[in-house]
Amino acid sequence: MLDSIKQFLGEIEHFASHKKEEIEQFRIKFLSRKGIIPQLFEDFKQIPSEKKKEVGQILNTLKVKAQEKLDFLLQKTSENDEKSKLLDLTLPAESLNVGSRHPVSLIRNEMVEIFARLGFTVSEGPEIEDDWHVFSSLNFPENHPARDMQDTFFIEKNGDINDVLLRTHTSSVQIRTMEKQKPPIRIIMPGRVFRNEAISARSHCIFHQVEGLYIDKKVSFADLKQTLLYFAKEMFGEKTQIRLRPSFFPFTEPSAEMDISCNCNGKGCNLCKYTGWLEILGCGMVHPNVLENCGIDSKVYSGFAFGMGIERIALLKYHIKDIRLYFENDIRFLSQFR
Ligand code: DAH
């Protein structure tokens, strides 16, 4: 009896199949009521008692091994069934959801297109900058309070934290372009900017700007005004009016801030705080010092510049209520801009 048990053990060990019928045959042969193993247990009763211990142990092992093998093979075949379902080529395809562009990207692209129609091309510059390109070359004197309007993040380099910083505006790209390129220059400069001003939950340290620059002989304030009027009408509709208010920027003289007429037509609403106007950008005639800093003769050339925040333009155009929505990645918000 011991020999035949050992033989069955070998047989069980070597049995393998992925066919359900063969596995069922295996079960019937060894484990069913009239199968080999119950039969062996029947025979076990007859053997002499001094052999019972040894035979009993190996018989139990046989039973356990047979059951384990059966369970293992059944588990495998059902996994294969699942897999073959996944490979069923006749199943309908899973639908793919088409994404949408972020409103900030949509507005940036639209701005690039509008200015492209006026002959402006796109220039880009680095986000990690130095003091010269962000402040000094733009006519911010060292220690001048104008620098306080734009606190930034300083990056340590060789123990010195003063000369490596994140740009606070895209105006630095004006300088980088004028250093490389001689007039005429007609460019717009979209990009990400950084400010250290987490004063409230609503303020943000990262946002986007589009800067514009036009340098040539005989460029006047009238050119600036007409260019920006064209932009406002293209972006916000034919009926849009603009208003220029005197302002101050170190890199322009004269400087102005531009408002567009509010949709409420001057009746006054929450958006325009009952003024009828919405501020959208800063602009002015490029300061002669800035031109000279870039090696451009300010007696021969003149030009205008402007800069605006993309988030703000998108907010006004799409009536977005809260700028935090831009950063939350909520699909219910984002999918509205198809
Ligand atoms: N750089 C200014 C800011 O971030 C915006 C600006 C104002 C840009 C006037 C210009 C300009 O080019 O002429 O607040």
Side-chain angles (χ1 to χ4, degrees):
M1 189 173 169
L2 213 49
D3 286 343
S4 54
I5 293 175
K6 282 182 181 158
Q7 200 189 318
F8 290 137
L9 261 176
E11 194 179 324
I12 289 168
E13 200 137 311
H14 289 108
F15 179 76
S17 173
H18 57 272
K19 292 196 181 117
K20 280 194 183 146
E21 311 83 70
E22 289 179 6
I23 296 167
E24 177 61 3
Q25 287 301 321
F26 174 89
R27 189 192 66 81
I28 293 169
K29 180 174 176 185
F30 289 102
L31 290 159
S32 66
R33 213 148 48 82
K34 291 193 171 150
I36 287 168
I37 291 171
Q39 190 57 54
L40 284 169
F41 273 95
E42 218 27 60
D43 300 347
F44 179 70
K45 292 175 185 158
Q46 320 290 322
I47 66 166
S49 50
E50 69 271 17
K51 288 208 160 180
K52 275 214 157 109
K53 189 173 174 218
E54 189 190 0
V55 179
Q57 264 177 358
I58 190 161
L59 191 54
N60 271 324
T61 307
L62 182 74
K63 189 181 169 191
V64 169
K65 292 264 182 223
Q67 191 62 51
E68 280 177 0
K69 180 68 100 177
L70 181 70
D71 294 344
F72 172 76
L73 292 174
L74 287 175
Q75 162 92 15
K76 263 252 175 288
T77 49
S78 73
E79 276 171 16
N80 285 343
D81 281 356
E82 284 298 314
K83 277 190 199 143
S84 61
K85 266 189 221 143
L86 291 177
L87 289 173
D88 184 348
L89 297 177
T90 64
L91 287 173
E94 266 184 53
S95 65
L96 285 175
N97 291 325
V98 179
S100 52
R101 279 196 201 281
H102 194 279
V104 168
S105 303
L106 288 173
I107 293 292
R108 184 199 50 214
N109 293 349
E110 196 173 338
M111 282 164 54
V112 168
E113 280 169 26
I114 292 170
F115 284 105
R117 294 201 278 279
L118 296 174
F120 285 74
T121 56
V122 172
S123 264
E124 282 177 334
E127 291 172 359
I128 300 175
E129 265 292 5
D130 51 35
D131 180 275
W132 171 254
H133 290 94
V134 176
F135 296 119
S136 299
S137 64
L138 285 159
N139 207 32
F140 287 82
E142 215 174 315
N143 302 320
H144 191 280
R147 291 191 182 216
D148 294 348
M149 298 193 305
Q150 303 185 4
D151 188 16
T152 183
F153 298 97
F154 293 88
I155 298 161
E156 195 163 335
K157 192 184 173 192
N158 303 331
D160 178 7
I161 60 160
N162 284 324
D163 201 35
V164 185
L165 46 92
L166 295 178
R167 67 180 179 193
T168 54
H169 52 185
T170 41
S171 305
S172 54
V173 190
Q174 291 187 28
I175 304 299
R176 292 212 170 258
T177 308
M178 287 191 285
E179 282 173 342
K180 287 196 302 259
Q181 197 180 318
K182 293 297 143 224
I185 295 170
R186 206 186 292 169
I187 50 169
I188 62 161
M189 299 148 270
R192 188 158 44 168
V193 301
F194 308 83
R195 291 197 193 175
N196 186 10
E197 50 185 41
I199 334 160
S200 77
R202 273 163 203 275
S203 67
H204 273 276
C205 299
I206 303 179
F207 60 104
H208 299 80
Q209 288 186 331
V210 167
E211 188 90 7
L213 177 71
Y214 180 27
I215 309 286
D216 205 346
K217 289 176 182 155
K218 298 195 174 113
V219 177
S220 74
F221 200 92
D223 298 313
L224 166 64
K225 197 174 167 189
Q226 192 58 33
T227 302
L228 292 178
L229 177 63
Y230 175 80
F231 164 73
K233 286 177 181 289
E234 290 292 293
M235 181 57 84
F236 294 102
E238 187 49 39
K239 287 202 221 114
T240 309
Q241 291 171 289
I242 62 166
R243 173 174 92 167
L244 289 161
R245 283 177 289 105
S247 184
F248 171 78
F249 300 102
F251 38 92
T252 44
E253 182 59 36
S255 304
E257 273 167 299
M258 188 176 100
D259 302 336
I260 55 165
S261 51
C262 182
N263 269 342
C264 70
N265 287 325
K267 277 195 221 100
C269 69
N270 257 337
L271 190 61
C272 63
K273 308 221 169 63
Y274 297 89
T275 63
W277 296 95
L278 301 159
E279 182 187 328
I280 64 163
L281 57 81
C283 59
M285 300 308 291
V286 177
H287 196 291
N289 289 355
V290 174
L291 295 174
E292 298 294 339
N293 282 338
C294 301
I296 293 173
D297 188 344
S298 61
K299 293 197 186 63
V300 181
Y301 292 103
S302 60
F304 64 74
F306 56 87
M308 59 190 128
I310 305 182
E311 278 83 356
R312 170 130 181 100
I313 304 286
L315 191 104
L316 298 175
K317 176 142 174 159
Y318 296 131
H319 305 286
I320 294 168
K321 290 268 159 15
D322 189 328
I323 58 166
R324 282 174 291 188
L325 288 163
Y326 288 132
F327 300 93
E328 283 169 352
N329 266 347
D330 188 330
I331 208 94
R332 292 167 300 182
F333 170 72
L334 295 173
S335 60
Q336 293 177 47
F337 300 93
R338 290 265 154 73

